[in-house]
Amino acid sequence: MADTILVVVEQREGKLNRVSWETLTAGQALAAETGLPLEAAVAGSGVEKLAKEVAGKKVGKVYSIESTGLEPYTPDAFAAGLKQFLESRQPKLVLMPHTYQVRDFVPKLATAMGRTVISDCIGYKKDGEKLLFTRQMFQGKFAADVSFTGDPPWFVTFQNGAFRGDKVEATASAAPVETVNVEIAENTIRNKPHEVFKEAKQAVDLTQAEIIVAVGRGIKEQKNIEIAKQLAEALGGEIAASRPICDSGWLPMDRQIGSSGQTVAPKLYLALGISGAIQHIVGMKGARTIIAVNKDSEAPIFEIADYAIVGNLFEIVPPLIGEVKKAKAGS
Amino acid sequence: MKILVCMKQVPQKDAPLKLNEAGTWIREDVSYEVNEPDAYALEEALRQKEKHSGEVVVISAGPARSQQVLREALAKGADRAIHLEDNAFVGLGAFNTARAFAAAIKDEKFDLIFTGLQSDDYGYAQTGVILAELLGWPHATIIMQIEKGDSGIKVKRELEAGYFQFVDMPLPAVLTIQSGINKLRYATLIGIKQAKNKPLRKVALAEVQSALGGNLQKIERLYVPHKTKNTQFLEGPPAEIAKKLAEKLRNEVRVL
Ligand SMILES: Cc1cc2nc3c(=O)[nH]c(=O)nc-3n(C[C@H](O)[C@H](O)[C@H](O)COP(=O)(O)OP(=O)(O)OC[C@H]3O[C@@H](n4cnc5c(N)ncnc54)[C@H](O)[C@@H]3O)c2cc1C
Ligand SMILES: Nc1ncnc2c1ncn2[C@@H]1O[C@H](COP(=O)(O)O)[C@@H](O)[C@H]1O
């Protein structure tokens, strides 16, 4: 068994997914900490060019795992292809970004190998000889340090944003690239995926908004959204929401902020009755100032808020509208 | 179509959670509810049954309290329930939970198994996919639409940032369901009454134990996350908070 750390980067339609660099940064940090050599791999059909791109970073070796069966992506092909590769190399740690694609195939891959995945991690710790991986639990209300109790390969996926992709170290001399052809039998692949598409064009582009007032389930009823709209209007901003609000049809889908909605970076993001689940946070943590109103002092949204108001939004928002109007009239 | 829906009981979203003394789990004296995407999975199963006829069976692994989730599902229209009842199920990893399910249904023949896309407590996002692999079935994750065709199904997968993809796949299959795929129904009074007479099979830990292995991962410590930002808390009566906030908006955030 080779004691290596392997980062499997993600590509779609011939392009590296940017979170790949984050996972590579994590791999570099773990390699430095443990002294284990770092390698990387990219899987697909005709992905050697991408492997070479990765080889420009500080990494011992890059594999391009090739098969025509790997294109288009299917969980069956990816699990089968990577299993062949991993069984021949037996790395100690396998790191991947926690993307929609990875969460679609990695539990299958690990299960097929009799292994486990510590999923959606936000960091790691070294506790003596033991490696601990930190992940959020209870929708971000708690964090847990988790260890592997079985045999390697140990699979870990890292949450989007957990590491800095722009901090990935490069090298002057490119790492060697090795092409590994994997066999994927015709009858392995059962799903027939169609083209990826985007739903109807978005009517509002929240990415351009300077001020956003966002409502979450704390707003309780559809009719209450009116007070948030009034606040947005007073501030000269846009209204937005967490996913459950759009799921309920209280606001249109194009007002949704988060991993399955829009990613915004306004000057001001005012979150009303939003708990702060990671899938929401990734869409708005780039805001310059975050103000959160939540009745629960332990709500995870407060961890990233600049100004926090623990209280009932229905008591806070009406006087705030008044104050904002007053200030605007005065200026 | 015969559909199995995996439904987990999790602490209520608004419940204030406290750590146990060992700092390894939460104190369990809180209110519970059904894991949100699992409620959507049940609704979808009921709609498929209404369209194509068949049977909807619900399954849950957890202590006695989790029977509540199954009772509610029966009241909404599920035909029968399977309860893997034991406190120990709370501590199982996704791998073992899936193995327990596979063992409990080994004599059944389902066309589809639905799980939620992830649980609100552990958040593994793995149980459904693992179950598919254990059964040797194909799977698709984060599903927003299901149509039955002649030889299989066509599902709509949600991808990141507003993208989607249709996938054709054969049956039997496992699907992990995303919240918002449909609109949830409420249980009716008649439904609640009828639920009392619907079958609920209890499966003891001992019956599935031989299918389980040791957990391959272990929570060493559970804790309140460390704050990374220097947050200013604004306090006082609402009118005063509003004043302070307006002042911050003007002088520090500079948007007024
Ligand atoms: C794959 C995937 C993708 C997802 N994509 C997204 C996404 O793009 N965007 C997104 O938002 N979510 C997304 N989610 C869902 C996400 O995990 C959360 O479930 C969701 O963000 C929770 O929304 P919320 O904060 O409005 O509701 P809740 O979590 O229910 O929080 C409501 C909050 O309101 C507070 N509250 C209640 N009453 C009051 C009051 N009177 N005054 C003040 N506060 C009050 C409560 O204390 C609570 O914190 C996704 C989930 C998954 C698994
Ligand atoms: N103990 C359980 N009882 C019933 N369903 C479960 C249980 N654990 C997991 N599931 C199902 O698996 C899904 C994904 O859970 P997880 O892998 O923990 O994120 C949940 O949405 C449930 O549908």
Side-chain angles (χ1 to χ4, degrees):
Chain A
M1 190 186 77
D3 264 355
T4 56
I5 299 174
L6 180 80
V7 171
V8 181
V9 300
E10 176 164 312
Q11 63 90 17
R12 265 176 278 172
E13 279 134 35
K15 275 209 199 81
L16 283 176
N17 185 344
R18 274 185 30 241
V19 292
S20 302
W21 302 125
E22 297 179 11
T23 316
L24 207 57
T25 302
Q28 289 179 340
L30 266 159
E33 188 109 19
T34 57
L36 297 177
L38 176 69
E39 300 186 335
V42 54
S45 174
V47 290
E48 197 176 324
K49 192 178 103 250
L50 300 178
K52 284 191 176 138
E53 199 180 328
V54 178
K57 306 301 175 192
K58 196 174 153 202
V59 44
K61 188 169 186 180
V62 184
Y63 298 95
S64 106
I65 303 170
E66 291 278 346
S67 166
T68 50
L70 292 169
E71 207 64 51
Y73 164 80
T74 56
D76 285 338
F78 263 61
L82 282 168
K83 180 167 178 268
Q84 266 173 49
F85 173 77
L86 293 173
E87 280 176 349
S88 69
R89 315 280 145 163
Q90 293 289 333
K92 181 154 189 169
L93 257 179
V94 182
L95 311 178
M96 300 187 202
H98 190 76
T99 59
Y100 276 40
Q101 180 170 308
V102 166
R103 54 185 280 174
D104 190 55
F105 77 81
V106 80
K108 177 181 169 71
L109 169 63
T111 302
M113 296 179 69
R115 298 297 189 271
T116 192
V117 188
I118 302 184
S119 52
D120 211 5
C121 296
I122 53 174
Y124 70 87
K125 292 180 184 133
K126 216 168 155 251
D127 182 16
E129 280 309 290
K130 214 177 204 171
L131 274 177
L132 300 177
F133 293 91
T134 307
R135 60 192 302 276
Q136 294 177 309
M137 292 194 39
F138 297 95
Q139 296 258 296
K141 291 190 184 112
F142 294 108
D145 291 340
V146 185
S147 62
F148 286 98
T149 53
D151 294 332
W154 295 330
F155 291 85
V156 178
T157 66
F158 283 111
Q159 189 168 90
N160 194 335
F163 290 85
R164 294 275 303 268
D166 56 348
K167 289 275 155 81
V168 68
E169 287 180 67
T171 50
S173 57
V177 172
E178 181 183 332
T179 298
V180 178
N181 292 304
V182 289
E183 295 294 325
I184 293 164
E186 190 108 14
N187 58 4
T188 308
I189 304 172
R190 296 163 291 184
N191 292 3
K192 303 252 170 319
H194 299 222
E195 290 291 304
V196 168
F197 67 96
K198 202 158 193 162
E199 213 95 290
K201 231 173 92 73
Q202 278 164 348
V204 276
D205 182 8
L206 294 176
T207 59
Q208 300 304 315
E210 294 241 306
I211 297 175
I212 291 177
V213 175
V215 293
R217 199 150 25 194
I219 201 79
K220 294 286 182 317
E221 288 182 60
Q222 180 164 21
K223 65 171 171 35
N224 297 338
I225 289 180
E226 202 46 46
I227 63 159
K229 278 190 179 153
Q230 284 167 17
L231 178 57
E233 207 165 289
L235 284 164
E238 292 281 349
I239 185 94
S242 67
R243 178 165 182 139
I245 300 301
C246 301
D247 279 348
S248 312
W250 295 358
L251 280 173
M253 288 295 282
D254 52 16
R255 298 270 166 187
Q256 182 183 316
I257 304 297
S259 62
S260 49
Q262 298 201 44
T263 300
V264 295
K267 239 168 138 169
L268 171 65
Y269 192 90
L270 217 159
L272 304 173
I274 291 177
S275 62
I278 183 62
Q279 297 86 4
H280 188 80
I281 305 271
V282 294
M284 46 65 81
K285 66 176 178 200
R288 202 161 80 201
T289 302
I290 297 168
I291 301 176
V293 182
N294 196 303
K295 70 174 166 85
D296 174 8
S297 65
E298 315 258 315
I301 189 85
F302 289 137
E303 278 157 45
I304 58 149
D306 299 281
Y307 301 100
I309 295 145
V310 180
N312 183 343
L313 75 93
F314 298 108
E315 288 173 12
I316 311 283
V317 174
L320 182 59
I321 297 171
E323 292 293 338
V324 169
K325 282 187 176 159
K326 233 179 6 194
K328 287 234 167 169
S331 63
Chain B
M1 283 211 281
K2 196 171 152 183
I3 307 175
L4 178 74
V5 186
C6 301
M7 301 187 75
K8 186 173 195 183
Q9 195 188 42
V10 295
Q12 232 165 38
K13 284 215 171 55
D14 276 13
L17 302 181
K18 297 220 164 48
L19 290 172
N20 67 8
E21 267 176 31
T24 50
W25 194 241
I26 57 161
R27 285 178 43 179
E28 301 228 8
D29 51 344
V30 295
S31 339
Y32 289 87
E33 65 187 359
V34 63
N35 188 45
E36 188 171 22
D38 305 1
Y40 286 94
L42 170 68
E43 176 64 40
E44 194 55 31
L46 295 173
R47 288 178 185 217
Q48 294 294 332
K49 181 190 151 180
E50 281 154 13
K51 253 191 245 163
H52 307 292
S53 83
E55 190 186 17
V56 173
V57 183
V58 286
I59 190 168
S60 192
R65 58 170 163 76
S66 42
Q67 207 194 94
Q68 179 63 22
V69 163
L70 298 174
R71 287 281 164 215
E72 282 166 20
L74 293 172
K76 285 185 170 185
D79 299 291
R80 59 188 167 90
I82 305 170
H83 187 186
L84 282 77
E85 188 184 327
D86 201 294
N87 284 333
F89 287 116
V90 176
L92 292 191
F95 195 6
N96 273 325
T97 302
R99 282 168 158 179
F101 286 158
I105 60 162
K106 67 178 190 315
D107 297 327
E108 306 245 19
K109 267 184 88 103
F110 292 103
D111 300 296
L112 278 169
I113 297 179
F114 292 171
T115 71
L117 82 167
Q118 72 190 56
S119 56
D120 276 355
D121 50 1
Y122 281 100
Y124 289 127
Q126 297 192 47
T127 308
V129 178
I130 293 173
L131 182 58
E133 175 63 19
L134 294 175
L135 296 169
W137 296 6
H139 76 265
T141 55
I142 321 194
I143 297 305
M144 288 297 281
Q145 192 181 310
I146 302 162
E147 283 164 44
K148 190 175 179 297
D150 295 335
S151 62
I153 49 171
K154 181 176 177 179
V155 299
K156 184 178 169 191
R157 288 188 64 210
E158 176 183 307
L159 305 176
E160 275 122 343
Y163 285 90
F164 296 91
Q165 179 178 45
F166 283 101
V167 177
D168 290 312
M169 57 199 296
L171 295 176
V174 177
L175 303 176
T176 81
I177 307 293
Q178 169 68 297
S179 293
I181 180 175
N182 49 39
K183 295 273 171 286
L184 301 178
R185 74 188 62 191
Y186 294 99
T188 60
L189 267 172
I190 295 187
I192 295 167
K193 256 201 185 139
Q194 286 171 341
K196 299 208 172 82
N197 299 319
K198 289 181 175 173
L200 189 151
R201 173 162 73 96
K202 287 201 184 183
V203 178
L205 180 60
E207 291 175 61
V208 295
Q209 188 90 58
S210 65
L212 308 184
N215 275 342
L216 299 175
Q217 51 180 277
K218 177 172 171 232
I219 297 175
E220 303 271 351
R221 203 164 70 92
L222 192 68
Y223 52 93
V224 177
H226 315 295
K227 273 205 186 314
T228 49
K229 224 173 187 176
N230 201 354
T231 307
Q232 278 187 46
F233 282 82
L234 306 181
E235 286 160 5
E240 206 175 294
I241 291 178
K243 262 208 178 66
K244 283 187 197 164
L245 196 52
E247 188 196 298
K248 302 280 181 202
L249 289 175
R250 175 193 279 276
N251 299 327
E252 290 175 37
V253 192
R254 295 176 188 278
V255 291
L256 283 186

